[in-house]
Amino acid sequence: MGEVTGLPARGHLLVRGATVLTMDTGIGEIAGGDVEIRDGVIVAVGPGLAAPDADVIDASGCIALPGFVDTHWHLWTTLLRGVIGDGHTNGWFARKALLAPHFRPEDTAAGARLALAEGLAAGVTTVHDWAHNVLSSEDAEANLAGDLDLGARVHWSWGVPSTTPGLSLQQMSAVVSATGRDVDEPMDFQALVALRNVWLPRADDRLTVGVNVRGPARSTADVYRHEFAEARRHELPIAMHCAGTRAEVARIRQVRVLADDALLGPDLLFAHGNHLPPEDIALLAEAGVPVSISPLSELRLAMGFPQVSEFLAAGIRVSFSLDTTAIAASADPFQAMRVAVGLEGTRRGDAEALAPRRALEMATIEGARSLGLGDRTGSLTPGKRADLILIRADALNVAPVVDPAVAVVHAAAPANVDTVIVDGRVLKRHGRLTAIDEAAIVADASASLRRVCDRAGFRLA
């Protein structure tokens, strides 16, 4: 793979006259505020900034805030969106098990590009690409190229194929064996480290690399202990699904198992956690493990309700994810926030259980911190990289605005995202992606899905 090319140039920009939600507690909210950007860095935030040489972006009528940070998104799976139904035969896990072994590198890239293009259009500027179908180094290379070519900030996690943790290890082995692998086969850390060493210099500081492990629920004790040890030996952040379903928790208490093995730590990120008992939540809090919740996919799969209040009360960092837009319908971080707010209020019998501003923190700065990127992105703070979005506050479905945080969480939609800037590059302006050929990405994804289904002997309508 060659260098990442084709992105807009960075320059000297002045975002002028927005209502600025900085998500920085030391700066706060600025009415009629400006954001000055030079060479990809935020250099100043405040009202009436003087930057005579800057290219001005008129942000009047807009709310400016950091781009959304998604902490758990299987980008490759978006390719399957058209063939996922419901139930044991047609639903997510069955169709993924049928089709995932038949992906080729170009199909993985096509799914990732489709997801990221939609995510960028919706204001997602940083994504944790949880790649849990890496069948070869070529898959990983194609995946990374597809991610970085579009201009997003990416935390990419290598992971081998896995399946639903409600199954026994013997049942999992029967499913995963279709990929040519097994649950008692560790992932290839030598290949992962080599990949990291090659790609980090290419990515102009937009890439970090980690690993997503199967953990005690999806692999043998020898495998998960080896993978945790290797990840930490190579200083790779670790991600893992945990307690997403009742079936998993009935079969195994992963937090307890990892605690007994002294494997919990702040370099670990859990996804879901819907069914963690209080004692396990306390263990996560003590170890500093953050949790990523996925309200849209968790509702679609009837997995359970996010335990946001319990996590926050324990001092656990909580962030948002789309999980997979094969089942979450679309890349809509606004919907994810308001569904979480509504679910938490209903679950707790308190409409104020999760305030909109807290939800916005979870979608921005808390997400960045969960990925180890809090010093780089997640807030509009001078010195951080320039990842920000402008949302039209004068649109029919948003106006009139009194509290901008309430407007963003409860009224706005992806169509209201006027401008997206990542690392100082303007990737969306006046509601249109500037450097992405949407038609080509859609055509590529459609052709890839057909090829995957043909290889699997699955007939498309």
Side-chain angles (χ1 to χ4, degrees):
M1 294 286 178
E3 297 292 330
V4 176
T5 59
L7 294 176
R10 299 188 189 93
H12 186 195
L13 303 174
L14 183 66
V15 177
R16 174 77 80 189
T19 297
V20 184
L21 298 179
T22 67
M23 310 313 294
D24 181 318
T25 55
I27 301 174
E29 177 182 321
I30 306 169
D34 306 335
V35 181
E36 184 183 359
I37 300 163
R38 189 188 292 273
D39 298 326
V41 178
I42 298 171
V43 296
V45 179
L49 296 180
D53 298 329
D55 293 326
V56 176
I57 294 177
D58 181 4
S60 56
C62 291
I63 299 168
L65 67 153
F68 298 121
V69 179
D70 190 295
T71 55
H72 162 229
W73 191 354
H74 309 295
L75 295 184
W76 70 275
T77 65
T78 302
L79 196 72
L80 304 178
R81 179 157 50 194
V83 296
I84 303 299
D86 294 291
H88 293 295
T89 303
N90 302 320
W92 164 240
F93 290 110
R95 289 283 162 84
K96 179 167 75 81
L98 172 67
L99 298 174
H102 301 282
F103 270 64
R104 301 290 183 267
E106 61 271 20
D107 306 314
T108 299
R113 288 170 64 85
L114 178 64
L116 261 187
E118 186 185 8
L120 283 166
V124 178
T125 57
T126 299
V127 61
H128 177 188
D129 184 359
W130 192 308
H132 67 340
N133 192 47
V134 178
L135 303 174
S136 67
S137 293
E138 289 74 21
D139 285 320
E141 290 264 5
N143 193 163
L144 281 168
D147 285 357
L148 293 169
D149 279 350
L150 298 192
R153 189 173 305 283
V154 178
H155 176 68
W156 188 83
S157 288
W158 173 303
V160 297
S162 65
T163 185
T164 172
L167 303 179
S168 68
L169 287 177
Q170 291 77 15
Q171 291 170 315
M172 288 185 193
S173 181
V175 173
V176 175
S177 63
T179 66
R181 298 177 181 272
D182 208 341
V183 292
D184 61 357
E185 180 182 353
M187 67 180 66
D188 188 347
F189 278 87
Q190 183 177 354
L192 170 54
V193 172
L195 187 85
R196 178 181 65 177
N197 293 342
V198 168
W199 274 90
L200 286 183
R202 297 179 181 176
D204 59 18
D205 201 41
R206 288 184 294 114
L207 175 68
T208 50
V209 174
V211 61
N212 65 84
V213 299
R214 290 159 290 178
R218 288 177 162 97
S219 63
T220 65
D222 286 344
V223 165
Y224 78 74
R225 288 169 182 159
H226 171 79
E227 291 184 344
F228 269 77
E230 284 296 285
R232 285 173 171 150
R233 184 167 76 88
H234 295 291
E235 298 183 331
L236 293 161
I238 305 168
M240 195 186 90
H241 293 100
C242 183
T245 66
R246 293 187 186 280
E248 176 196 316
V249 176
R251 187 173 70 80
I252 186 170
R253 293 270 296 279
Q254 292 200 88
V255 172
R256 182 73 266 173
V257 171
L258 293 177
D260 288 345
D261 284 342
L263 293 176
L264 296 176
D267 60 345
L268 176 61
L269 170 68
F270 275 170
H272 302 307
N274 298 326
H275 302 285
L276 289 172
E279 55 269 31
D280 288 3
I281 291 174
L283 287 170
L284 294 189
E286 181 181 0
V289 179
V291 176
S292 175
I293 65 168
S294 311
L296 300 182
S297 66
E298 289 161 0
L299 279 181
R300 172 76 184 271
L301 296 178
M303 293 170 65
F305 301 115
Q307 299 191 79
V308 178
S309 295
E310 290 86 343
F311 294 147
L312 294 179
I316 293 173
R317 179 163 288 126
V318 184
S319 59
F320 280 111
S321 84
L322 292 168
D323 190 353
T324 168
T325 38
I327 56 175
S330 64
D332 190 341
F334 303 94
Q335 186 181 35
M337 285 188 290
R338 59 178 153 263
V339 166
V341 168
L343 284 177
E344 196 61 17
T346 301
R347 191 175 70 89
R348 304 293 294 183
D350 176 5
E352 298 180 351
L354 178 59
R357 286 180 183 271
R358 192 71 181 96
L360 268 182
E361 290 173 353
M362 291 162 53
T364 55
I365 185 59
E366 294 293 4
R369 290 167 176 158
S370 294
L371 297 178
L373 299 175
D375 61 344
R376 192 175 309 184
T377 190
S379 67
L380 302 184
T381 303
K384 288 191 178 184
R385 305 305 298 182
D387 301 344
L388 65 116
I389 63 176
L390 298 179
I391 297 170
R392 297 298 325 177
D394 52 8
L396 286 172
N397 64 304
V398 181
V401 174
V402 176
D403 184 330
V406 171
V408 171
V409 173
H410 284 301
N416 302 122
V417 178
D418 176 89
T419 301
V420 175
I421 299 173
V422 183
D423 214 47
R425 297 185 174 100
V426 180
L427 302 182
K428 185 179 184 181
R429 185 72 182 114
H430 301 305
R432 301 289 298 177
L433 293 170
T434 62
I436 295 173
D437 186 338
E438 297 180 40
I441 284 178
V442 169
D444 188 30
S446 298
S448 268
L449 175 60
R450 188 163 295 278
R451 290 193 298 267
V452 168
C453 290
D454 285 346
R455 293 186 203 113
F458 178 79
R459 183 171 179 171
L460 288 172

